[in-house]
């Protein structure tokens, strides 16, 4: 719908579109909608170009696209080959440097990208941690989390939700000015997986947002596009891409069928 130039608006709990647009997409996508007489006022969402570099098979000696770029294509975003062409940068690996940060909104996904960000030393106070420095990047688990359900970054998820990581990491240090968006639950949080000593993850932070050099930065410790299987978690990525430019509403005139 957005690519077709239809008017779609962003809210802190989803999207607003007219009935005709909704009916044009419901046959393709599983959507839940409620009618409203409120009229959206503000900027409509535009098609967004995303730079998502990296080659997960670099060390095997052959080229392949980054994992997140495959998921972005599935979600309908335009994946472009350079920062200059992009509206947003998404990084899910360690194959980047400081030169691309602070120019566009940036999304950091998973333990590898977080460790790289920390090693660059450009984000004061940021500390990415893992249970084991030697082999923790292979730890994985499905866990219960508590999140700020009022944030646009968490739109579509309940205050008590599930979270997946296969890179064994969390956010130990939150930079000044960044907001904590999600923490692993305090107890009975581990659902399944293989994460030795996972008991120590209680209350750990897994999602934050803030600004770096005036540009939005979203950091997520999990792996929401793992092997392009975890479709339920894709919305963490799309929410961060669309950002926080929310529409406002004014009273409209309509009749809602009963």
């Amino acid at each position: 719908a957005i690519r077709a130039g239809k008017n779609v608006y962003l809210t802190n709990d989803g999207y607003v579109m007219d009935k005709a647009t909704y009916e044009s997409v419901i046959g393709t996508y599983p959507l839940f909608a409620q009618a409203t007489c409120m009229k959206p006022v503000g900027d409509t969402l535009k098609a967004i170009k995303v730079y998502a570099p990296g080659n997960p098979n670099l060390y095997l000696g052959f080229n392949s696209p980054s994992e997140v770029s495959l998921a972005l294509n599935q979600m309908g975003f335009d994946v472009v080959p350079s920062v200059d062409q992009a509206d947003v940068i998404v990084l899910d690996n360690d194959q980047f440097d400081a030169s691309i940060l602070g120019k566009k909104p940036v999304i950091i996904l998973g333990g590898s990208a977080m460790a790289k960000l920390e090693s660059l030393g450009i984000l004061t106070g940021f500390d990415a941690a893992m249970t084991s420095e030697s082999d923790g990047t292979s730890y994985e688990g499905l866990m219960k989390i508590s999140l700020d359900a009022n944030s646009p970054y968490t739109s579509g998820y309940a205050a008590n939700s599930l979270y997946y990581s296969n890179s064994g990491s969390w956010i130990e240090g939150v930079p000044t000015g960044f907001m904590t968006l999600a923490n692993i639950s305090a107890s009975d949080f581990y659902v399944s997986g293989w994460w030795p000593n996972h008991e120590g993850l209680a209350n750990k932070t897994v999602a934050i947002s803030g600004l770096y050099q005036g540009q939005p930065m979203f950091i997520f410790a999990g792996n929401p596009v793992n092997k392009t299987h975890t479709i339920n978690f894709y919305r963490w990525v799309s929410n961060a891409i669309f950002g926080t430019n929310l529409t406002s509403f004014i009273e409209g005139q309509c009749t809602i069928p009963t």
Side-chain angles (χ1 to χ4, degrees), residues 91-174:
L91 304 168
D92 70 341
N93 54 73
D94 62 359
Q95 297 168 34
F96 65 93
D97 58 37
S99 67
I100 68 172
L101 303 178
K103 296 180 177 180
K104 305 283 176 71
V106 171
I107 299 165
I108 303 288
L109 302 174
S112 178
M114 291 202 310
K116 177 67 174 185
L117 177 63
E118 181 184 356
S119 73
L120 294 175
I122 60 174
L123 190 59
T124 303
F126 177 67
D127 180 13
M130 61 177 57
T131 302
S132 170
E133 294 292 338
S134 59
D135 60 1
T137 55
S138 64
Y139 294 0
E140 61 99 24
L142 180 69
M143 291 165 274
K144 299 175 184 177
I145 59 171
S146 300
L147 53 81
D148 176 4
N150 294 317
S151 170
Y153 288 108
T154 65
S155 175
Y157 298 105
N160 297 301
S161 294
L162 293 174
Y163 159 89
Y164 177 75
S165 170
N166 71 340
S167 53
S169 302
W170 66 89
I171 300 166
E172 187 67 26
V174 178

Side-chain angles (χ1 to χ4, degrees), residues 12-208:
N12 65 347
D13 191 30
Y15 307 91
V16 177
M17 63 188 73
D18 62 28
K19 182 180 179 182
T21 301
Y22 173 75
E23 290 177 344
S24 73
V25 297
I26 189 59
T28 305
Y29 303 101
L31 302 175
F32 170 77
Q34 291 179 310
T36 179
C37 285
M38 302 297 289
K39 181 179 179 181
V41 177
D43 294 333
T44 57
L45 294 175
K46 307 300 182 185
I48 294 178
K49 296 178 181 179
V50 185
Y51 178 58
N55 175 9
N57 293 303
L58 177 66
Y59 305 109
L60 297 178
F62 63 91
N63 292 325
S64 57
S66 66
E67 189 171 68
V68 72
S69 71
L70 300 177
L72 291 166
N73 281 321
Q74 287 181 330
M75 287 185 270
F77 292 104
D78 294 320
V79 178
V80 296
S82 72
V83 173
D84 290 339
Q85 293 173 271
D87 302 302
V88 176
I89 300 168
V90 183
L91 304 168
D92 70 341
N93 54 73
D94 62 359
Q95 297 168 34
F96 65 93
D97 58 37
S99 67
I100 68 172
L101 303 178
K103 296 180 177 180
K104 305 283 176 71
V106 171
I107 299 165
I108 303 288
L109 302 174
S112 178
M114 291 202 310
K116 177 67 174 185
L117 177 63
E118 181 184 356
S119 73
L120 294 175
I122 60 174
L123 190 59
T124 303
F126 177 67
D127 180 13
M130 61 177 57
T131 302
S132 170
E133 294 292 338
S134 59
D135 60 1
T137 55
S138 64
Y139 294 0
E140 61 99 24
L142 180 69
M143 291 165 274
K144 299 175 184 177
I145 59 171
S146 300
L147 53 81
D148 176 4
N150 294 317
S151 170
Y153 288 108
T154 65
S155 175
Y157 298 105
N160 297 301
S161 294
L162 293 174
Y163 159 89
Y164 177 75
S165 170
N166 71 340
S167 53
S169 302
W170 66 89
I171 300 166
E172 187 67 26
V174 178
T176 300
F178 274 63
M179 295 181 58
T180 296
L181 301 173
N183 294 83
I184 295 173
S185 299
S187 61
D188 190 30
F189 59 83
Y190 199 74
V191 178
S192 63
W194 187 80
W195 194 314
N197 302 312
H198 61 258
E199 298 84 1
L201 298 175
N203 294 314
K204 295 298 186 184
T205 298
V206 293
I208 62 176

